[in-house]
């Protein structure tokens, strides 16, 4: 029976931190140019909520702004993220390619399930040529509920997955695994929180650790 691994993107495969502050600063500079923001860019607030869908991000960062303003900033932020990715300012986490190659050699299926938007995810996958290993990339945009558990359920049903794991750094990833009877592997990376990782079945500090875990996941 083949094993399936479903990976989160931000903070798990992609070092979002390298382009996050840059893109967010660009976006709030634009908001300042419209005379709709004073003060510093709320980067710390964003770090606290990393992993939630972008519509919820803007509700948090711009609580007193109109939905029209939030949509405008969402679109501008997405544009800046994609441009920074294409300009090579981001990076994958160490060993992503090595681990993906190993998993494919072991006949594992690889998927990506992310709260990121489709265009953003495609920019990363295309720039780093991840599609040579990844069967399909799924965005939270594909489901109405904006719930990571429902997104993973979509993958499980489409590919009839009965054995596998969800690999991610936040509670939404851990819950998505458990809600779909998969192993929850927490990544103790940049945006991870100890209280959330405590709920995972397994915790890794480096993606390379997945190679050693694979035999046990297959049992």
């Amino acid at each position: 029976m083949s094993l399936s691994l479903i990976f989160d993107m931000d903070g798990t495969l992609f070092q979002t931190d390298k382009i996050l502050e840059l893109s967010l600063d660009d976006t709030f500079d634009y908001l300042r140019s419209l005379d709709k923001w004073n003060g510093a860019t709320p980067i710390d607030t964003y770090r606290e909520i990393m992993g939630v869908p972008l519509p919820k991000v803007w509700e948090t960062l711009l609580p007193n702004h109109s939905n029209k303003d939030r949509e405008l900033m969402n679109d501008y932020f997405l544009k800046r993220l994609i441009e920074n990715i294409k300009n090579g300012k981001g990076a994958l986490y160490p060993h992503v390619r090595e681990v993906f190659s190993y998993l494919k050699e072991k006949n594992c299926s690889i998927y990506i399930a992310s709260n990121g938007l489709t265009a953003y995810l495609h920019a990363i996958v295309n720039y780093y040529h991840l599609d040579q290993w990844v069967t399909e990339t799924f965005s939270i945009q594909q489901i109405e509920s904006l719930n990571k558990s429902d997104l993973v359920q979509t993958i499980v049903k489409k590919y009839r997955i009965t054995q596998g794991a969800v690999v991610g750094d936040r509670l939404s990833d851990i819950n998505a695994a458990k809600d779909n009877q998969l192993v929850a592997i927490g990544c103790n990376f940049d945006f991870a929180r100890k209280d959330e990782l405590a709920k995972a079945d397994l915790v890794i500090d480096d993606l390379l650790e997945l190679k050693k875990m694979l035999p046990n996941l297959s049992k």
Side-chain angles (χ1 to χ4, degrees), residues 8-11 13-16 19 78 81-86 90-93 96-97 100 112 114 116-131 133-134 137:
D8 175 45
M9 179 65 88
D10 291 314
L13 297 176
F14 184 67
Q15 296 186 58
T16 317
I19 63 169
L78 178 62
L81 285 170
I82 291 173
E83 288 182 3
N84 285 323
I85 291 165
K86 290 181 177 179
L92 297 177
Y93 276 95
V96 169
R97 292 185 176 91
F100 275 13
I112 292 173
S114 172
L117 301 182
T118 302
Y120 166 72
L121 297 174
H122 284 173
I124 297 172
V125 169
N126 292 338
Y127 186 84
Y128 295 102
H129 306 292
L130 297 181
D131 51 357
W133 302 292
V134 177
T137 298

Side-chain angles (χ1 to χ4, degrees), residues 7-65:
F7 289 84
D8 175 45
M9 179 65 88
D10 291 314
T12 299
L13 297 176
F14 184 67
Q15 296 186 58
T16 317
D17 211 28
K18 291 186 178 295
I19 63 169
L20 175 64
E21 187 168 349
L22 180 63
S23 301
L24 204 62
D25 269 334
D26 288 343
T27 304
F28 275 84
D29 279 344
Y30 179 53
L31 195 59
R32 291 183 191 99
S33 75
L34 300 176
D35 292 325
K36 293 187 176 183
W37 185 264
N38 294 311
T41 301
I43 185 69
D44 290 336
T45 303
Y46 195 7
R47 290 177 187 278
E48 292 175 6
I49 59 174
M50 268 296 297
V52 305
L54 274 178
K56 295 183 179 179
V57 166
W58 295 110
E59 287 176 13
T60 303
L61 298 184
L62 302 175
N64 300 318
H65 288 66

Side-chain angles (χ1 to χ4, degrees), residues 21-187:
E21 187 168 349
L22 180 63
S23 301
L24 204 62
D25 269 334
D26 288 343
T27 304
F28 275 84
D29 279 344
Y30 179 53
L31 195 59
R32 291 183 191 99
S33 75
L34 300 176
D35 292 325
K36 293 187 176 183
W37 185 264
N38 294 311
T41 301
I43 185 69
D44 290 336
T45 303
Y46 195 7
R47 290 177 187 278
E48 292 175 6
I49 59 174
M50 268 296 297
V52 305
L54 274 178
K56 295 183 179 179
V57 166
W58 295 110
E59 287 176 13
T60 303
L61 298 184
L62 302 175
N64 300 318
H65 288 66
S66 67
N67 285 332
K68 184 178 180 180
D69 284 340
R70 292 171 186 164
E71 290 173 5
L72 179 65
M73 291 305 99
N74 185 70
D75 292 343
Y76 191 86
F77 183 55
L78 178 62
K79 179 181 177 181
R80 295 305 306 149
L81 285 170
I82 291 173
E83 288 182 3
N84 285 323
I85 291 165
K86 290 181 177 179
N87 289 332
K89 295 182 179 179
L92 297 177
Y93 276 95
H95 314 301
V96 169
R97 292 185 176 91
E98 179 181 346
V99 170
F100 275 13
S101 294
Y102 179 83
L103 293 175
K104 292 302 287 186
E105 288 173 7
K106 298 298 181 181
N107 296 315
C108 295
S109 298
I110 301 171
Y111 307 92
I112 292 173
S114 172
N115 282 335
L117 301 182
T118 302
Y120 166 72
L121 297 174
H122 284 173
I124 297 172
V125 169
N126 292 338
Y127 186 84
Y128 295 102
H129 306 292
L130 297 181
D131 51 357
Q132 62 186 300
W133 302 292
V134 177
T135 301
E136 189 172 353
T137 298
F138 291 79
S139 164
I140 201 71
Q141 275 187 299
Q142 295 173 237
I143 56 170
E144 291 184 8
S145 69
L146 300 182
N147 184 296
K148 192 70 167 282
S149 294
D150 293 340
L151 185 62
V152 169
Q153 185 183 62
T154 299
I155 303 173
V156 169
K157 287 184 176 180
K158 179 174 181 177
Y159 289 97
R160 299 178 181 178
I161 295 171
T162 57
Q163 189 176 29
V166 176
V167 184
D169 64 318
R170 299 307 301 265
L171 185 60
S172 60
D173 304 303
I174 295 168
N175 287 339
K178 293 181 178 293
D179 290 343
N180 288 283
Q181 292 75 54
L182 300 173
V183 178
I185 301 178
C187 297

